[in-house]
Amino acid sequence: MKRKMKRWMQGTLAAVLAVSMLSACGGGNDKPSQGVEGEGAAKPFQGKKLSIATANHPWGDAIKELIPQFEEETGMKVDVQSYFEDQLSQKLTVQFTSGSATPDVFMYSPLQHAKQFYNNGWLQPLDEYVTKNADYDFEDFSKASVSTNTIDGKIVGIPTITEQHILYYRKDLLEEANIAVPKTMDELLAAAKALHDPSKEMYGFSARGQRSALVSQISSFMYSEGGEFMRDGKAFLNSPESVKGMNTYATLLRDFGPPGVLNMSWPQAIGVFAQGKSAFFADVNSIYLNAADPEKSTISDQIGYAVFPAGDAGSQPFNIASWGIAMNAKAADKDAAWAFIEWATSKEIMLETQKLGNPGSRLSVWASPEGTVAFPKELAEVTMETQKGGVDHSLPQVNAVGEARDIIGSIVQRAITGEDIQAAADQANKEFQALIDNESGQ
Amino acid sequence: MRTNWFDRNQKWIYTMPAVLFVLLMMVFPILYTFRISFYEWSMSSTTPPKWVGFDNYIALLSDARFWVTVKQTFIFTFGALIVQTVLGVAIAVLLHREFFGKNLVKTIFLLPMVATPVAMGLVWLLIYEPSIGAANTLLKMIGLSPQLWIASPSQVMPSLILMDVWMWTPMISLIVMAGLATLPTEPYEAADVDGASTWQKFWYVTLPLLRPTIIVAVMLRLIDVLKTFDIIYATTQGGPNMKSETLNIYGYTLGFQYFKLGMASTLLVIFFAIVMALTLLMIYVRKRLEVAS
C-alpha cells in the first residue's frame, strides 16, 4: 500500500510540474523581461513569442521562408501553423468563439470573413497602426484591395494577395485549330465546342463545379452580362442578365467540361488543365503556377493568358483582395503583432513574395520592373489590364456568406445535371431573399 | 484507518472514473445540446444566445432540405445495412468451414474494418476518380463504359453504400462467426438423420439458431450507419448538389459552416430521437422473436 502511495505521489508531482512549466511558458508572453529593453531599439521584441496561423497558400509558404529574417531583426520567436483553407476558417472561428488570445496574427479571406469576424469583435481595427510609420506608406495599397478589408469605415485587415479572374488557354491547340483567342462569351463557347473531344480525353473547358467553390467563379460571368448576386438589397439571381451569365458557365461545364466536374474545386480543375486535358481554364490569376510550373504541369510552356471574355455588358471580371492578414482583438501584445503585420506587408517583403509569384496589393511593387519578374510577360500584362477595372467583390455581400454560397451554387449544379436553370434560379432567388431579409431584420 | 475507509468505499471509488467520464463526456453534452436547441446563437462572443422557444424546431421541420436529408439518411442506412447483413452472414457461413489457409483469409478479410475511415475515404476518393481512378480502369478492362461514381448525383448514394459495405461487412461476419462457433451440434445430427440437404440445413437449422446473433449485429450496425459521418465528409461533403447529404452532414454544415448553433442542436436532438426510436424498435422486435422461438 505504501509503495503504491509513493508511486501515485510521484505521478502527481510530475503532473503538477508539467502544468506549472506550461503556465510559465504562457506567462512569458505577458511579461517582457526587463533587461532586454535596455539593449535599445535594435531588437525591441527580444524574447517575445508570436503565434501566426496561415493557409496552405503560396503566400503563406513564401512568408514562412522569410520569417527567420524577421526573427533575426526583431528577436521575436514566431510560431507558424498552417491549415487548409477551409480548416483555417473553422479553426479561427472556434478559437475566437472561445475567446482565445492566439493566434495573434492570421491570414484570412476578407470577402468571406471580414464582416462576420469584425461584427463578432474578433478583429482589431488597424487604423491607428497603419499611419504610425511614414515609411510604411499605406497610400501605396490599391484602393480596391483596401476597401475589401474595410468594414464600417474601419480598416480590419491588410490586403496581401489580390486576384483577378482571367482566362487561361492552350496556345498550341488554338494555333493548330486556327482559332483566335476568344474575346467574347460567344467566341469562348464556340472555341470550347470546337476543341472538345472526349474520346481523346480532351475537354473544351475546365473550371470549378463544386457547389460552394463555384460561386465566386460565376460572379464574373454574371457581371459581364449585367447581372449581380443582389442589387439594392434585393436578390438578383433570377434576372435575365444573371441567368444568362450562369447559363454560359453551366453550358461550358456541362457540354464541354471534364467528367466529374461537380466535385471539382480549383485544385482539381487546374489539374485537368495542367495535365493537358482541357483547352480552356478560367479562374484567378494567382494560382497560375499550378499550371506554369514544369514540375506540376505537362503543358507549362504552352499556356496563354487572356483578359476575361466580354458579355453583353463588356468584360467585367472580379478584381479583389482575396487574402489579407489581420490581428486578433485579444492579442496579448498588439505592438508585437503589428510589427509582424507591418513587416510582412512592407514594400520590401511584398516585393519578395511577389517575386515568388504572389500578386500583391502594393502599386509601387507592380510598377517596379522587379515586381513582375515572377510572372510570364503575358500574365503581367493581362493582370495590369484587369486591375484597371473590374468588380471589387466576387461573393455576395452578406453576413452569412457560407449559407449564401450554398444557395447560389446549387443553381449552377442543377443546371449542369440537366435541370432547368430558370426554375433553379427562381427557387434560389427566393431562398437568398429570405436570407437577406432575415439579416436586415436583425 | 485509511485502508478501512478505502475498503468501505471501494464500490464508489472504483466506479467513479467511469461515472465521471459518462457524466462529463456524454450526459453533459447531450443536455447542453438540448438546451442550445431552444436558442438562436451564431457563435458570436458579443451577441449572447437568444431564447427562441420552439422556433428552431418549427423552422427545421418546415425546411425542405431537412426532409431530403432524412430521406437520404434512411436510404443510405438501409441500403448499406441490408447488403452488408446478407453478405456478412453468407461470408461468415463460408468461412466457418475448415479449409487450408482459413486464418489467413479471415485476417485479410477483416482488414477494412480496422483501417481508419477517413484515410479509407481518401483512398476511395482516388478509386472513384472518373478519369484515372482504379474503378473506371477496372470497368474499362472488362469492357464496360466508365462511370462518374461519386461525381454523379444519381450514383453518389450507391457508391457511398458500396464503400460502407466494403468497410463494415467484416464486422457482421465477425459477430456471426462467433455465433456460429457456439451453435449446438444436436440439431444438425437430427437434420442429418432426417435426410436434410445442405441448403435445408442452412435455411431451417442454422438461420433460426443464428437469429438472435444476427439481430444483435444488425442493431449495432444500424446505430453506426445512421450516424456515419467520416467517409461521407472525406469524400463528398454531402455533394454533388446535396445528393449525399445525410442528417449528420447537414448538422455539421449548419453548425460549423453557417454558424447556426441553435438549428444544428435542434437537428441533433431530432436525430437523437430518431436513433433512440429505432433502437427501441429493434429491442422490441428482438424480444418478440425470442418469445416466439
Side-chain angles (χ1 to χ4, degrees), chain A residues 90 93 96-97 116 119-122 201 211 259-260 262-263 277 402-403 406 410 413-414 417 442, chain B residues 40 43-46 65 130-132 140 148 150-151 153 240-242 252-253 256-260:
Chain A
Q90 273 163 28
T93 312
F96 294 154
T97 305
Q116 182 198 21
N119 287 340
N120 283 350
W122 298 340
E201 294 206 342
R211 187 177 62 204
L262 288 180
N263 275 352
K277 290 187 173 182
E403 198 177 350
D406 277 353
S410 74
Q413 281 213 326
R414 288 172 67 178
T417 53
Q442 274 172 0
Chain B
E40 184 180 307
M43 259 203 183
S44 159
S45 37
T46 49
R65 187 170 166 188
S131 8
I132 54 162
K140 280 184 217 161
L148 284 175
I150 53 169
N241 206 16
M242 306 185 215
Y252 178 83
T253 308
F256 295 103
Q257 264 156 11
Y258 300 171
F259 305 110
K260 292 181 167 178

Coordinates of all heavy atoms in Angstrom, one line a residue, chain A residues 90 93 96-97 116 119-122 201 211 259-260 262-263 277 402-403 406 410 413-414 417 442, chain B residues 40 43-46 65 130-132 140 148 150-151 153 240-242 252-253 256-260:
Chain A
Q90 N -12.4 27.4 -40.1 CA -13.1 26.8 -39.0 C -12.4 26.9 -37.7 O -12.9 27.1 -36.6 CB -13.3 25.3 -39.3 CG -14.6 25.1 -40.0 CD -14.6 23.7 -40.7 OE1 -14.0 22.8 -40.3 NE2 -15.4 23.6 -41.8
T93 N -12.6 30.4 -36.3 CA -13.9 30.6 -35.7 C -14.1 30.0 -34.3 O -14.5 30.6 -33.4 CB -15.0 30.0 -36.6 OG1 -14.8 30.5 -37.9 CG2 -16.4 30.5 -36.2
F96 N -11.7 31.8 -31.7 CA -12.2 33.1 -31.3 C -13.4 33.1 -30.5 O -13.6 33.8 -29.6 CB -12.4 34.0 -32.6 CG -11.1 34.3 -33.3 CD1 -11.1 34.6 -34.7 CD2 -9.9 34.3 -32.6 CE1 -9.9 34.9 -35.3 CE2 -8.7 34.6 -33.3 CZ -8.7 34.9 -34.7
T97 N -14.3 32.1 -30.8 CA -15.5 31.9 -30.1 C -15.2 31.6 -28.6 O -15.8 32.1 -27.7 CB -16.4 30.8 -30.6 OG1 -16.6 31.1 -32.0 CG2 -17.7 30.7 -29.9
Q116 N -18.3 39.3 -40.8 CA -18.7 38.4 -39.7 C -17.7 38.5 -38.5 O -18.1 38.7 -37.4 CB -18.8 37.0 -40.2 CG -19.2 36.0 -39.1 CD -18.9 34.6 -39.5 OE1 -18.0 34.3 -40.3 NE2 -19.6 33.7 -38.9
N119 N -17.9 42.0 -36.9 CA -19.1 42.2 -36.1 C -19.1 41.4 -34.8 O -19.8 41.7 -33.8 CB -20.3 41.8 -36.9 CG -20.7 42.8 -38.0 OD1 -20.2 43.9 -37.9 ND2 -21.4 42.4 -39.0
N120 N -18.3 40.3 -34.8 CA -18.2 39.5 -33.6 C -17.2 40.0 -32.6 O -16.9 39.4 -31.6 CB -17.9 38.0 -33.9 CG -19.1 37.3 -34.4 OD1 -20.2 37.8 -34.3 ND2 -18.9 36.1 -35.0
G121 N -16.5 41.1 -33.0 CA -15.5 41.7 -32.2 C -14.2 40.9 -32.1 O -13.4 40.9 -31.1
W122 N -13.9 40.1 -33.2 CA -12.7 39.3 -33.2 C -11.5 40.0 -33.9 O -10.4 39.6 -33.8 CB -12.9 38.0 -33.9 CG -14.0 37.2 -33.3 CD1 -14.4 37.3 -32.0 CD2 -14.7 36.1 -33.9 NE1 -15.4 36.3 -31.8 CE2 -15.6 35.6 -32.9 CE3 -14.7 35.5 -35.1 CZ2 -16.4 34.5 -33.1 CZ3 -15.6 34.5 -35.4 CH2 -16.4 34.0 -34.4
E201 N -10.0 12.1 -74.5 CA -9.8 12.7 -73.1 C -9.4 14.2 -73.2 O -8.5 14.6 -72.5 CB -8.8 11.9 -72.3 CG -9.4 10.5 -72.0 CD -8.8 9.9 -70.7 OE1 -7.7 10.4 -70.3 OE2 -9.4 9.0 -70.2
R211 N -20.3 23.0 -55.5 CA -21.3 23.9 -55.2 C -20.9 25.2 -54.6 O -21.2 26.3 -55.1 CB -22.4 23.3 -54.2 CG -23.6 24.1 -54.0 CD -24.6 23.4 -53.1 NE -24.0 23.2 -51.8 CZ -24.4 22.2 -51.0 NH1 -25.3 21.4 -51.4 NH2 -23.8 22.0 -49.8
P259 N -15.2 15.0 -67.1 CA -16.2 14.2 -66.2 C -15.9 14.4 -64.8 O -14.8 14.7 -64.4 CB -15.8 12.7 -66.6 CG -14.4 12.8 -67.2 CD -14.3 14.1 -67.8
G260 N -16.9 14.4 -64.0 CA -16.8 14.6 -62.5 C -16.6 16.0 -62.1 O -16.1 16.3 -61.0
L262 N -18.6 18.1 -61.1 CA -19.4 18.6 -59.9 C -18.6 18.5 -58.6 O -18.9 19.1 -57.6 CB -20.7 17.7 -59.8 CG -21.7 18.0 -60.8 CD1 -22.9 17.1 -60.6 CD2 -22.2 19.5 -60.8
N263 N -17.5 17.7 -58.6 CA -16.7 17.5 -57.4 C -15.4 18.3 -57.4 O -14.6 18.1 -56.6 CB -16.4 16.1 -57.1 CG -17.6 15.4 -56.4 OD1 -18.5 16.0 -55.9 ND2 -17.5 14.1 -56.2
K277 N -5.5 18.2 -70.5 CA -6.7 17.6 -70.8 C -7.8 18.6 -71.1 O -9.0 18.2 -71.3 CB -7.2 16.6 -69.8 CG -6.3 15.4 -69.7 CD -6.8 14.3 -68.8 CE -6.0 13.0 -68.9 NZ -6.5 12.0 -68.1
G402 N -21.3 31.8 -46.2 CA -21.3 30.3 -46.4 C -22.6 29.8 -46.9 O -22.7 29.0 -47.8
E403 N -23.7 30.2 -46.2 CA -25.0 29.8 -46.5 C -25.4 30.3 -47.8 O -26.0 29.6 -48.6 CB -25.9 30.3 -45.4 CG -27.2 29.6 -45.3 CD -28.1 30.0 -44.2 OE1 -27.6 30.8 -43.3 OE2 -29.3 29.7 -44.2
D406 N -24.0 28.3 -50.7 CA -24.7 27.0 -50.9 C -25.9 27.2 -51.7 O -26.3 26.4 -52.6 CB -25.0 26.3 -49.6 CG -23.8 25.5 -49.1 OD1 -22.8 25.4 -49.9 OD2 -23.8 25.0 -48.0
S410 N -26.1 26.0 -55.9 CA -26.9 24.9 -56.3 C -27.6 25.2 -57.7 O -28.0 24.3 -58.4 CB -28.0 24.5 -55.3 OG -28.9 25.5 -55.2
Q413 N -25.1 23.9 -60.2 CA -25.0 22.5 -60.1 C -26.3 21.8 -60.7 O -26.1 20.8 -61.4 CB -24.8 22.0 -58.7 CG -23.4 22.2 -58.2 CD -23.0 21.1 -57.2 OE1 -23.8 20.7 -56.4 NE2 -21.8 20.7 -57.2
R414 N -27.4 22.4 -60.4 CA -28.6 21.8 -61.0 C -28.7 21.9 -62.5 O -29.1 21.0 -63.2 CB -29.9 22.4 -60.4 CG -30.0 21.9 -58.9 CD -31.1 22.6 -58.2 NE -32.5 22.4 -58.7 CZ -33.6 22.9 -58.2 NH1 -33.5 23.7 -57.2 NH2 -34.7 22.6 -58.8
T417 N -26.5 19.3 -64.1 CA -27.0 18.0 -64.2 C -28.3 17.9 -65.1 O -29.0 16.9 -65.1 CB -27.4 17.5 -62.8 OG1 -28.2 18.5 -62.1 CG2 -26.2 17.3 -61.9
Q442 N -32.5 41.9 -38.4 CA -31.9 41.7 -37.1 C -31.3 43.0 -36.6 O -30.7 43.7 -37.3 CB -30.7 40.7 -37.2 CG -31.3 39.3 -37.0 CD -30.2 38.2 -37.3 OE1 -29.1 38.6 -37.6 NE2 -30.6 37.0 -37.2
Chain B
E40 N -31.2 30.9 -30.3 CA -30.6 31.2 -31.5 C -29.2 31.8 -31.2 O -29.0 32.7 -30.4 CB -31.4 32.3 -32.2 CG -30.9 32.7 -33.6 CD -31.8 33.7 -34.2 OE1 -33.0 33.6 -34.3 OE2 -31.2 34.8 -34.6
M43 N -22.5 31.7 -32.6 CA -21.1 31.5 -32.1 C -20.5 32.8 -31.9 O -19.3 32.9 -31.7 CB -20.3 30.8 -33.2 CG -20.1 29.3 -32.9 SD -18.6 28.8 -33.7 CE -18.6 27.1 -33.3
S44 N -21.2 33.9 -31.8 CA -20.6 35.2 -31.6 C -20.3 35.4 -30.1 O -21.1 34.9 -29.3 CB -21.6 36.3 -32.1 OG -21.3 37.5 -31.4
S45 N -19.2 36.0 -29.8 CA -18.9 36.2 -28.4 C -19.5 37.6 -27.9 O -19.5 37.8 -26.7 CB -17.4 36.2 -28.1 OG -16.7 36.7 -29.2
T46 N -20.0 38.4 -28.9 CA -20.5 39.7 -28.4 C -22.1 39.6 -28.3 O -22.6 40.3 -27.4 CB -20.2 40.8 -29.4 OG1 -20.4 40.4 -30.7 CG2 -18.7 41.2 -29.3
R65 N -35.0 21.0 -47.1 CA -33.7 20.4 -47.2 C -33.6 19.4 -46.0 O -32.9 18.3 -46.2 CB -32.6 21.5 -47.0 CG -31.2 21.0 -47.2 CD -30.3 22.2 -47.3 NE -28.9 21.8 -47.2 CZ -27.9 22.7 -47.1 NH1 -28.2 23.9 -47.1 NH2 -26.7 22.2 -46.9
P130 N -13.0 9.9 -61.8 CA -13.5 9.5 -63.1 C -12.5 9.3 -64.2 O -12.7 8.4 -65.1 CB -14.5 10.6 -63.5 CG -14.6 11.5 -62.3 CD -13.5 11.3 -61.4
S131 N -11.4 10.0 -64.3 CA -10.6 9.8 -65.5 C -9.4 8.9 -65.2 O -9.0 8.1 -66.1 CB -10.0 11.2 -66.0 OG -10.3 12.2 -65.2
I132 N -8.8 8.9 -64.0 CA -7.7 8.0 -63.8 C -7.9 7.0 -62.6 O -7.0 6.2 -62.3 CB -6.4 8.8 -63.5 CG1 -6.7 9.8 -62.3 CG2 -5.9 9.6 -64.7 CD1 -5.4 10.3 -61.7
K140 N -13.1 -0.4 -67.6 CA -12.6 -0.4 -69.0 C -12.0 -1.7 -69.3 O -12.1 -2.2 -70.5 CB -11.6 0.8 -69.2 CG -12.3 2.1 -69.4 CD -11.3 3.2 -69.7 CE -11.6 4.5 -69.0 NZ -10.5 5.5 -68.9
L148 N -19.4 7.8 -63.4 CA -19.0 9.0 -62.7 C -18.8 8.8 -61.2 O -18.3 9.6 -60.5 CB -20.0 10.1 -63.0 CG -19.9 10.8 -64.4 CD1 -21.0 11.8 -64.5 CD2 -18.5 11.5 -64.5
I150 N -19.0 9.0 -57.5 CA -19.5 10.0 -56.5 C -19.6 11.4 -57.1 O -20.0 12.3 -56.5 CB -18.5 10.1 -55.3 CG1 -17.1 10.3 -55.7 CG2 -18.7 8.9 -54.4 CD1 -16.2 10.6 -54.5
A151 N -19.2 11.6 -58.4 CA -19.3 12.9 -59.0 C -20.7 13.0 -59.7 O -21.0 14.0 -60.3 CB -18.2 13.1 -60.0
P153 N -24.8 12.9 -59.4 CA -25.9 13.0 -58.4 C -26.7 11.7 -58.2 O -27.1 11.3 -57.1 CB -26.8 14.1 -58.9 CG -26.0 14.9 -59.8 CD -25.0 13.9 -60.4
P240 N -22.5 15.6 -54.8 CA -22.8 16.8 -55.6 C -24.3 17.2 -55.4 O -25.2 16.4 -55.4 CB -22.5 16.4 -57.0 CG -22.6 14.9 -57.0 CD -22.3 14.4 -55.6
N241 N -24.4 18.5 -55.4 CA -25.7 19.1 -55.2 C -26.6 18.5 -54.1 O -27.7 18.2 -54.3 CB -26.5 19.1 -56.5 CG -27.5 20.2 -56.6 OD1 -27.4 21.1 -55.8 ND2 -28.5 20.1 -57.5
M242 N -26.0 18.3 -52.9 CA -26.6 17.8 -51.7 C -27.2 16.4 -51.8 O -28.0 16.0 -51.0 CB -27.8 18.8 -51.3 CG -27.3 20.2 -51.2 SD -28.7 21.3 -50.6 CE -28.4 22.8 -51.5
Y252 N -23.6 19.3 -39.3 CA -22.2 19.8 -39.4 C -22.2 21.2 -40.2 O -21.6 22.2 -39.7 CB -21.2 18.8 -40.0 CG -19.8 19.4 -40.1 CD1 -19.0 19.3 -39.0 CD2 -19.4 19.9 -41.2 CE1 -17.7 19.8 -39.1 CE2 -18.1 20.4 -41.3 CZ -17.2 20.3 -40.2 OH -16.0 20.8 -40.3
T253 N -22.9 21.1 -41.3 CA -22.9 22.3 -42.2 C -23.6 23.5 -41.4 O -23.1 24.6 -41.4 CB -23.7 22.0 -43.5 OG1 -23.1 20.9 -44.1 CG2 -23.6 23.2 -44.4
F256 N -21.0 24.4 -38.3 CA -19.7 24.9 -38.5 C -19.5 25.7 -39.8 O -18.4 26.2 -40.0 CB -18.7 23.8 -38.4 CG -18.7 23.2 -37.0 CD1 -19.3 22.0 -36.7 CD2 -18.1 23.9 -35.9 CE1 -19.3 21.5 -35.4 CE2 -18.1 23.4 -34.7 CZ -18.7 22.2 -34.4
Q257 N -20.5 25.7 -40.7 CA -20.3 26.5 -41.9 C -21.3 27.7 -41.9 O -21.0 28.8 -42.3 CB -20.5 25.6 -43.1 CG -19.1 25.2 -43.6 CD -19.1 24.0 -44.4 OE1 -20.2 23.5 -44.8 NE2 -17.9 23.5 -44.7
Y258 N -22.5 27.4 -41.4 CA -23.5 28.6 -41.3 C -23.5 29.2 -39.9 O -24.1 30.2 -39.7 CB -24.9 28.1 -41.6 CG -25.1 27.4 -43.0 CD1 -26.3 26.8 -43.3 CD2 -24.1 27.5 -43.9 CE1 -26.5 26.2 -44.6 CE2 -24.3 26.9 -45.2 CZ -25.5 26.3 -45.5 OH -25.6 25.7 -46.7
F259 N -22.8 28.6 -39.0 CA -22.7 29.0 -37.6 C -24.1 29.2 -37.0 O -24.3 30.1 -36.2 CB -21.9 30.3 -37.5 CG -20.6 30.2 -38.1 CD1 -20.2 30.8 -39.3 CD2 -19.6 29.4 -37.5 CE1 -19.0 30.6 -39.9 CE2 -18.4 29.2 -38.0 CZ -18.1 29.8 -39.2
K260 N -25.1 28.4 -37.3 CA -26.4 28.4 -36.7 C -26.4 27.3 -35.6 O -26.9 26.2 -35.9 CB -27.5 28.1 -37.7 CG -27.6 29.2 -38.7 CD -28.7 28.9 -39.7 CE -29.2 30.0 -40.5 NZ -30.2 29.6 -41.5

